[in-house]
Amino acid sequence: PARMDQQQVVTALQHTVDNDPAVRKPAEQFLRAAEQQHGFCLALLELASNSALPDQTRLLAAFYLKNNVIRYWAPRDEAMHTIGAQEKARVKQLALETIDDNNDAVALQKAILISKVSRTDYPSEWPELFPTLSSLLQGAQPQRLIRVLTVLHFVLKELSSKCLVADRKKFQELAPNLFGFVKGQWETCAIQVCDETATSLSEVALQGLILSSKVLRRILLFGFTQLFAVPEAIALIPAAFETIHKLACLKQALLASHGNNPQAAQTRLSRAVHHLGKMLTEVWKKHPLVFVPQLQTYLDFALTTVADKTQPELALLAQKIITICLEARSYRARAGVRAPRPEAVQAASVMQAAMNPNAIRRLLQVLVGELLSLKPSEVESWDSDPEGLVLGTGQDSCHEHFRSVSIAESLGKVVAREIHSQLV
């Protein structure tokens, strides 16, 4: 593809953030005109990958590149300018070659760029995408591991959003091999995080655990129609629960030994618990019967942890678990169903024993007395600044409290329906 004068592009990018309109507007006009020229995308990618340039210039180049690809890579209007085939091939190759950029913001924009391209080009015009990403993970250094998992997360998010039957089948064909590989990375990161002491928490391993959990969630939700046929997926469920418990204990140990410091480590651990819990609960909603073998254990955990103020992340997870279990139709004994699955029969038995009238009554007391109640200071803030209280902008805002209240409200509605069904 034709090559552009990169120095002109660098100067224009730097001038786009100038406060002087006389400098900024001509630069913006130059870049708008350059969008129609062949070689512009490749020039932007080379500039974004050039570590000798200032970080701000590299990030601007990455932003312009991503937006240019969205606009001109596969335009619906045939009259619009289209990026040439040779330039596309070189952009895809260079994007993967420079995936482990040392600048987090630039690397993020590259990951989004690759995902946007994958939506139109994979698999017919980019069959080497996933083999290349898999090869990059082999024996990868920590930074490359994070970069590749970030790319996988955005690519799978993009591909899983496609609605055509043919596209969904392609995703399902991709899932089995990719799942085993990512699961191996997840297990490695989980071991590294959970074996660490509270004073030497590995930030890279924790970030890898969060990213691999996001990737696995996409694969499990959109890559398989029947999880019973995937033993590795079923084995992941109890492993994820165990990891959540270890992370919660690690956070408690960190809090006990350091108080509110280091706050960043506690926040990352909370995020890890959140994303692992999100993976489990979303898969649970779609494939409830695969959770039945350990359903009694999970319900016992949920009922004892539902209002645990010392571990709020676990309490929220417990509330979601109870909500899912009470809403799952396959957990109910239904008349007229011929030859129900053994798992459904077992689930109905467990639910009947665990969610008896006494248990539901205690759960309702916890909801009304603890989970849905406001503290006196919050009541005062509600009177003086209700908008600031809810949105988290007021002096006494409790945005996190209201987020947890919304989860509790969902549980409360389900419990109310359960009480009604038992009375009827």
Side-chain angles (χ1 to χ4, degrees), residues 303-336:
L303 290 171
T304 56
T305 318
V306 66
D308 189 348
K309 295 181 179 180
T310 63
Q311 298 185 343
E313 296 85 8
L314 292 186
L316 293 179
L317 176 59
Q319 293 166 35
K320 292 178 182 178
I321 289 174
I322 297 172
T323 303
I324 293 170
C325 290
L326 289 173
E327 287 184 328
R329 294 185 62 192
S330 56
Y331 286 3
R332 300 291 183 178
R334 288 177 289 169

Side-chain angles (χ1 to χ4, degrees), residues 127-398:
E128 70 275 14
L129 172 60
F130 286 101
T132 302
L133 290 174
S134 298
S135 66
L136 288 172
L137 275 177
Q138 297 286 356
Q141 295 297 316
Q143 177 174 287
R144 173 171 289 185
L145 171 67
I146 297 303
R147 300 300 187 232
V148 175
L149 287 174
T150 302
V151 171
L152 279 174
H153 165 60
F154 282 105
V155 168
L156 294 182
K157 184 176 181 180
E158 197 72 38
L159 294 180
S160 66
S161 67
K162 301 175 77 172
C163 299
L164 295 179
V165 173
D167 292 323
R168 292 194 174 276
K169 287 183 177 179
K170 289 175 185 176
F171 194 95
Q172 291 166 6
E173 292 169 0
L174 167 71
N177 291 334
L178 196 58
F179 176 78
F181 196 76
V182 177
K183 181 173 178 284
Q185 301 296 327
W186 181 90
E187 290 171 342
T188 300
C189 292
I191 291 172
Q192 291 177 357
V193 171
C194 295
D195 283 354
E196 295 278 359
T197 64
T199 56
S200 59
L201 186 65
S202 172
E203 181 177 353
V204 172
L206 192 54
Q207 192 175 355
L209 180 62
I210 293 172
L211 286 170
S212 56
S213 297
K214 291 181 177 181
V215 174
L216 287 173
R217 175 167 55 88
R218 290 280 166 186
I219 298 174
L220 290 170
L221 287 175
F222 301 98
F224 304 104
T225 56
Q226 292 293 333
L227 282 188
F228 280 110
V230 191
E232 281 189 311
I234 295 177
L236 176 65
I237 293 170
F241 266 106
E242 183 180 357
T243 302
I244 286 174
H245 279 286
K246 289 181 178 179
L247 291 174
C249 292
L250 194 58
K251 182 186 175 184
Q252 288 294 102
L254 193 65
L255 186 63
S257 59
H258 295 87
N260 288 328
N261 294 310
Q263 185 67 38
Q266 296 176 32
T267 301
R268 287 193 296 272
L269 284 169
S270 296
R271 285 186 62 235
V273 171
H274 167 76
H275 285 291
L276 275 169
K278 186 176 182 180
M279 177 183 72
L280 287 171
T281 53
E282 291 194 6
V283 173
W284 202 327
K285 291 177 185 178
K286 188 171 183 179
H287 303 280
L289 291 181
V290 301
F291 288 77
V292 171
Q294 300 293 327
L295 182 60
Q296 184 66 61
T297 302
Y298 301 149
L299 276 175
D300 290 342
F301 153 76
L303 290 171
T304 56
T305 318
V306 66
D308 189 348
K309 295 181 179 180
T310 63
Q311 298 185 343
E313 296 85 8
L314 292 186
L316 293 179
L317 176 59
Q319 293 166 35
K320 292 178 182 178
I321 289 174
I322 297 172
T323 303
I324 293 170
C325 290
L326 289 173
E327 287 184 328
R329 294 185 62 192
S330 56
Y331 286 3
R332 300 291 183 178
R334 288 177 289 169
V337 178
R338 294 183 179 180
R341 289 188 64 107
E343 294 85 2
V345 176
Q346 180 184 351
S349 175
V350 171
M351 288 294 294
Q352 187 176 6
M355 294 300 174
N356 57 68
N358 289 333
I360 292 296
R361 189 181 303 110
R362 288 194 297 270
L363 190 56
L364 184 61
Q365 290 172 346
V366 169
L367 278 164
V368 175
E370 300 181 41
L371 300 180
L372 295 175
S373 62
L374 293 177
K375 295 181 294 186
S377 61
E378 293 165 353
V379 174
E380 291 178 6
S381 296
W382 179 261
D383 291 335
S384 60
D385 184 16
E387 183 178 0
L389 181 68
V390 174
L391 297 179
T393 57
Q395 183 177 1
D396 298 319
S397 65
C398 55

Side-chain angles (χ1 to χ4, degrees), residues 7 25 31 54 57 67 71 73 181 225 237 324 397-398 405 412:
Q7 187 54 51
K25 289 184 178 180
L31 291 173
T57 303
N67 293 335
R71 191 176 295 117
W73 194 272
F181 196 76
T225 56
I237 293 170
I324 293 170
S397 65
C398 55
V405 165

